[in-house]
Amino acid sequence: GAHFDYGNPKDWPKDYPSCGGMRQSPINIQLQDVGMIEPGQQPVYRNRYGAKPKRMTITNNGHTVQLTGEWQKGYTPTISGGPLNGTYQFSELHFHWGSNNFVGSEHLINNHSFPIEMHIVHWKETYGNKTEATKHPNGLAVLGYLMSIHKSPNRGLKMMQMGFQHIVEPSRSTKIDPFPLSFFDPNVSRQKTARYFTYPGSLTTPPCSESVTWLLSVRLGNIATHQLDSLRRLRLSNHDNHNNRPTQQLNGRSVSSYLEIQFSNA
Ligand code: BO1
Ligand code: ZN
């Protein structure tokens, strides 16, 4: 396929028609328009987020830094419940950031930007593989975390940073010390449950496939400023200094909220 960059995201539909579709992401979430959870509705469950993988790899794909892992058979993290039908397996996680700390998140809340947003991408296992899942309107589920600047660094990102020196240039990848996905949880909160916003949307990068159920955590993740700086030192395609797509039209979609249950162990 053709290449893309963040210089002219309005041109993406020329090469990738889905990017001009009616259920595109990200969006600006207006709190006064969010529907309430109905009583008795199922929460979103994260399963095996505490399981440590056998191997972990980070990749600079020219658009973001991506984390993948290999777990023992039956130990791959999954999510289920809430608005999801069936079980969705972890595929990869990555980040979107800006050229300065006032911008960077893809989703906005009441027009407010956050400096960074993390996406944990999952695919519906009944479709057999992620390529097939991406072709279906309910094939993918992305857990999004808006993050704010904090004195304490993000534990997961800290583990990833150990390998950043090897992936400064696009299309480099390197193995890192394996750790469980729960390392990305906010390291300040004792809460066991948190609210999520959910709406039907798309991949926020080309091919912009309209296959994503978005689950956006209300609880903010934390990141230290030096960690944001280390992400900005990674070189992206066409010397992009940011990798967040502008918000897209809602086109009549509604956003609602759900409960999450969080498990501290595997
Ligand atoms: S995002 O979370 O909306 N920013 C996002 C953007 C692009 C992808 C995933 C999430 N890429 C797609 C690949 C597909 C793959 C799918 C699931 O991820 O284009 O080939 O099947 O991993
Ligand atoms: Zn993303």
Side-chain angles (χ1 to χ4, degrees), residues 4 6 58-67 92-97 106 116-119 121 160 164 167-172 204-205 231 234-237 240 242-244:
F4 74 92
Y6 287 89
I58 55 170
T59 305
N60 176 345
N61 64 12
H63 307 297
T64 186
V65 55
Q66 186 173 289
L67 175 76
E92 47 98 357
L93 71 77
H94 62 262
F95 299 86
H96 299 267
W97 59 87
E106 297 212 293
I116 182 165
E117 183 169 333
M118 176 174 69
H119 290 158
V121 184
M160 290 176 69
F164 277 12
I167 61 157
V168 174
E169 301 297 331
S171 76
R172 294 277 168 83
T204 64
T205 68
L231 285 166
L234 300 173
R235 297 202 189 104
L236 303 178
S237 305
D240 277 333
H242 66 106
N243 59 3
N244 56 328

Side-chain angles (χ1 to χ4, degrees), residues 91-92 94 96 106 119 121 130-131 134 140 142 202-207 214:
S91 170
E92 47 98 357
H94 62 262
H96 299 267
E106 297 212 293
H119 290 158
V121 184
K130 46 192 161 190
T131 309
T134 305
L140 301 179
V142 181
S202 73
L203 301 179
T204 64
T205 68
W214 278 94

Side-chain angles (χ1 to χ4, degrees), residues 54-96:
K54 290 185 293 185
R55 269 184 290 280
M56 258 183 167
T57 304
I58 55 170
T59 305
N60 176 345
N61 64 12
H63 307 297
T64 186
V65 55
Q66 186 173 289
L67 175 76
T68 52
E70 289 167 55
W71 281 260
Q72 269 184 292
K73 202 173 155 58
Y75 286 87
T76 300
T78 64
I79 57 172
S80 56
L84 306 172
N85 273 312
T87 303
Y88 288 69
Q89 290 206 23
F90 173 75
S91 170
E92 47 98 357
L93 71 77
H94 62 262
F95 299 86
H96 299 267

Side-chain angles (χ1 to χ4, degrees), residues 31-240:
L31 292 178
Q32 73 271 19
D33 298 341
V34 174
M36 289 284 144
I37 30 163
E38 287 151 39
Q41 203 134 48
Q42 231 199 119
V44 176
Y45 295 99
R46 303 188 319 169
N47 316 299
R48 297 189 292 276
Y49 263 56
K52 187 162 113 175
K54 290 185 293 185
R55 269 184 290 280
M56 258 183 167
T57 304
I58 55 170
T59 305
N60 176 345
N61 64 12
H63 307 297
T64 186
V65 55
Q66 186 173 289
L67 175 76
T68 52
E70 289 167 55
W71 281 260
Q72 269 184 292
K73 202 173 155 58
Y75 286 87
T76 300
T78 64
I79 57 172
S80 56
L84 306 172
N85 273 312
T87 303
Y88 288 69
Q89 290 206 23
F90 173 75
S91 170
E92 47 98 357
L93 71 77
H94 62 262
F95 299 86
H96 299 267
W97 59 87
S99 55
N100 64 67
N101 294 347
F102 296 99
V103 289
S105 65
E106 297 212 293
H107 288 92
L108 307 187
I109 305 223
N110 284 355
N111 294 302
H112 182 81
S113 286
F114 293 80
I116 182 165
E117 183 169 333
M118 176 174 69
H119 290 158
I120 314 183
V121 184
H122 304 76
W123 57 277
K124 189 168 161 71
E125 51 183 37
T126 52
Y127 291 123
N129 62 69
K130 46 192 161 190
T131 309
E132 183 58 32
T134 305
K135 298 174 187 163
H136 297 264
N138 62 351
L140 301 179
V142 181
L143 216 48
Y145 287 85
L146 300 164
M147 299 166 82
S148 60
I149 290 172
H150 202 271
K151 284 188 292 292
S152 56
N154 182 287
R155 246 174 118 198
L157 200 50
K158 191 171 176 176
M159 297 296 284
M160 290 176 69
Q161 280 176 274
M162 311 242 230
F164 277 12
Q165 66 201 95
H166 303 294
I167 61 157
V168 174
E169 301 297 331
S171 76
R172 294 277 168 83
S173 72
T174 191
K175 298 251 180 301
I176 56 167
D177 270 349
F179 62 91
L181 296 185
S182 56
F183 272 36
F184 289 100
D185 289 352
N187 52 14
V188 283
S189 174
R190 298 249 118 66
Q191 281 176 274
K192 286 275 181 272
T193 63
R195 205 173 276 264
Y196 271 107
F197 300 123
T198 182
Y199 76 94
S202 73
L203 301 179
T204 64
T205 68
C208 307
S209 317
E210 296 189 324
S211 56
V212 180
T213 301
W214 278 94
L215 302 159
L216 206 66
S217 176
V218 172
R219 190 195 308 169
L220 298 180
N222 63 284
I223 186 170
T225 49
H226 67 84
Q227 295 188 302
L228 267 164
D229 293 337
S230 73
L231 285 166
R232 294 192 186 111
R233 283 195 291 272
L234 300 173
R235 297 202 189 104
L236 303 178
S237 305
N238 198 38
H239 306 285
D240 277 333

